[in-house]
Amino acid sequence: MERLLSMMRQDAELTEKTLYELVPATDADYGVLLEAERYSLLAGGKRIRPFLVLSFCRLYGGEDKAALPFACAVEMIHTYSLIHDDLPCMDNDDMRRGRPTNHKVYGEANALLAGDGLLTRAFGTAAGNPHVSAELARDAVCALSEAAGDCGMVGGQVIDLLGEEQALTREQLTRLHSLKTGALIRVSALLGCLAAGFSADSAEAQAAVAYADRIGLAFQIIDDVLDVTGDEAQLGKPCGSDADNQKTTFLTFYSIDEARAYAARLTSEAISLISHIDGSELLTDLAVYLLDRDH
């Protein structure tokens, strides 16, 4: 596991260095926008999604230089979603990654625009990847669009908002997280395969996406558990917010032990999908790490 954590730190630093270069530091007229973008984009975090892009690219024989533009595009979209999720009209959160949320620092309007800027920049970053073919870059942009849009993350957010007005069924809850959280995790694995030169319909990509689908759902189940059992200082955000907002979570349907057991089954399935591939140890360790995490 120590090798995994070391590689995750290295890849997070590599991703952050590239993100730093991709987003300008200032502008005479709209410097506050760029400052707001960088405030959230460079705030650290586990960088799980970029790690998946880089890891699957390496697993299938690709090079980091081909994966990095895709990894950064995913992280831009992820960061935009966090900025918008925290807004008063959505979750109305004050803290993110251990410090004030974007709108608390830059105001609601600038936070909204910072998210818009990052989302738009992400597509240009992916489309302009100079280390893959034009066809693979196109496929990457299409996959990102689907994962981020109404058939993915945005659609999941709408179901989440519905859950603030009424109790969701277990099937609705699973679909919510398959879209809101899972879509971006699945596309991260897919983009790693595209960076390595494999098409979206290849056996390699299908195995990667199936693995990511399972760790994505397990990730959310553990998130729900940690919202009840976690330490606020470690999580970097308030605990108990789901219960306070009367949200439907996996703990609506399962006890804490049952939820952990469900996540463990999903993790085992994910590992079985890729463990036969030479060099997959880091990704199998990642699945276990996400299951056992405490923040």
Side-chain angles (χ1 to χ4, degrees):
M1 197 62 69
E2 184 54 42
R3 180 168 170 253
L4 168 69
L5 296 176
S6 176
M7 186 59 71
M8 288 177 67
R9 285 192 295 268
Q10 291 178 40
D11 282 354
E13 290 172 3
L14 180 61
T15 301
E16 190 135 339
K17 177 178 181 294
T18 309
L19 288 169
Y20 190 89
E21 295 167 352
L22 286 169
V23 181
T26 190
D27 181 273
D29 296 315
Y30 56 87
V32 64
L33 172 68
L34 300 174
E35 185 180 329
E37 288 183 21
R38 288 161 71 97
Y39 175 83
S40 294
L41 187 63
L42 304 176
K46 293 181 282 292
R47 307 290 192 195
I48 296 296
R49 292 153 192 83
F51 182 75
L52 284 170
V53 179
L54 288 159
S55 295
F56 272 107
C57 180
R58 293 167 184 153
L59 180 65
Y60 291 136
E63 298 182 4
D64 286 0
K65 64 181 181 182
L68 272 170
F70 292 161
C72 289
V74 169
E75 192 62 18
M76 289 174 187
I77 292 175
H78 176 55
T79 302
Y80 126 78
S81 74
L82 299 181
I83 294 172
H84 281 197
D85 273 358
D86 291 337
L87 288 171
C89 64
M90 301 293 277
D91 291 344
N92 194 24
D93 282 326
D94 294 339
M95 299 294 291
R96 170 72 66 176
R97 290 173 173 166
R99 59 181 188 167
T101 48
N102 199 289
H103 70 274
K104 286 293 180 180
V105 177
Y106 296 99
E108 188 173 348
N110 282 323
L112 180 68
L113 292 169
D116 292 344
L118 288 171
L119 174 63
T120 308
R121 190 185 298 275
F123 293 112
T125 300
N129 188 341
H131 304 293
V132 300
S133 68
E135 290 78 12
L136 288 172
R138 176 205 62 202
D139 291 347
V141 172
C142 289
L144 277 171
S145 174
E146 182 174 352
D150 52 5
C151 294
M153 190 169 60
V154 172
Q157 183 64 62
V158 171
I159 301 175
D160 198 14
L161 291 173
L162 177 66
E164 294 180 2
E165 301 174 358
Q166 64 184 57
L168 300 178
T169 66
R170 185 164 49 188
E171 290 73 21
Q172 286 176 312
L173 180 69
T174 301
R175 188 180 187 208
L176 183 167
H177 293 305
S178 176
L179 298 175
K180 183 179 176 182
T181 304
L184 214 57
I185 291 177
R186 290 192 299 273
V187 82
S188 297
L190 173 60
L191 292 179
C193 300
L194 294 177
F198 289 90
S199 66
D201 60 359
S202 65
E204 290 80 1
Q206 290 175 3
V209 170
Y211 159 93
D213 182 60
R214 285 158 177 78
I215 68 165
L217 184 54
F219 183 93
Q220 185 58 54
I221 293 169
I222 297 302
D223 247 18
D224 286 355
V225 170
L226 291 177
D227 188 69
V228 173
T229 65
D231 179 82
E232 192 166 304
Q234 284 186 308
L235 290 172
K237 60 182 181 179
C239 292
S241 58
D242 290 338
D244 291 343
N245 295 325
Q246 297 184 318
K247 279 192 170 184
T248 305
T249 74
F250 283 101
L251 295 187
T252 305
F253 305 103
Y254 302 99
S255 69
I256 289 174
D257 287 344
E258 289 170 340
R260 287 193 179 277
Y262 183 18
R265 290 195 300 274
L266 290 165
T267 300
S268 179
E269 291 174 10
I271 290 171
S272 70
L273 287 162
I274 62 166
S275 59
H276 63 283
I277 304 171
D278 289 341
S280 64
E281 293 82 9
L282 280 177
L283 284 162
T284 59
D285 284 350
L286 174 66
V288 175
Y289 167 75
L290 294 177
L291 174 69
D292 292 341
R293 66 196 171 94
D294 56 11
H295 64 281

Coordinates of all heavy atoms in Angstrom, one line a residue, residues 13 25 80 157 237 294:
E13 N 1.2 15.5 -7.7 CA 2.1 16.6 -7.9 C 2.3 16.8 -9.4 O 2.4 18.0 -9.9 CB 3.5 16.3 -7.3 CG 3.5 16.3 -5.8 CD 4.7 15.8 -5.2 OE1 5.7 15.5 -5.9 OE2 4.8 15.7 -3.9
A25 N -2.2 32.8 -14.4 CA -2.2 33.3 -13.1 C -3.0 34.6 -12.9 O -3.6 34.8 -11.9 CB -0.8 33.5 -12.6
Y80 N -14.9 22.1 -11.1 CA -16.1 22.9 -11.5 C -17.3 22.4 -10.7 O -18.1 23.1 -10.2 CB -16.3 22.9 -13.0 CG -17.6 22.5 -13.5 CD1 -18.8 23.4 -13.4 CD2 -17.8 21.2 -14.0 CE1 -20.0 22.9 -13.8 CE2 -19.1 20.8 -14.4 CZ -20.2 21.7 -14.3 OH -21.4 21.3 -14.8
Q157 N -27.1 15.2 -10.6 CA -27.3 16.3 -9.6 C -28.8 16.6 -9.6 O -29.3 17.0 -8.5 CB -26.5 17.5 -10.1 CG -26.6 18.7 -9.1 CD -26.1 18.4 -7.7 OE1 -24.9 18.2 -7.6 NE2 -27.0 18.5 -6.7
K237 N -14.6 18.9 5.7 CA -15.9 19.4 5.5 C -16.8 18.9 6.6 O -16.4 18.0 7.3 CB -16.5 18.9 4.1 CG -16.6 17.4 3.9 CD -17.1 17.1 2.6 CE -17.2 15.5 2.4 NZ -17.7 15.2 1.1
D294 N -10.4 6.6 5.6 CA -11.2 7.3 6.7 C -11.4 8.7 6.5 O -11.9 9.5 7.4 CB -10.4 7.1 8.1 CG -9.0 7.6 8.0 OD1 -8.6 8.3 7.0 OD2 -8.2 7.4 8.9

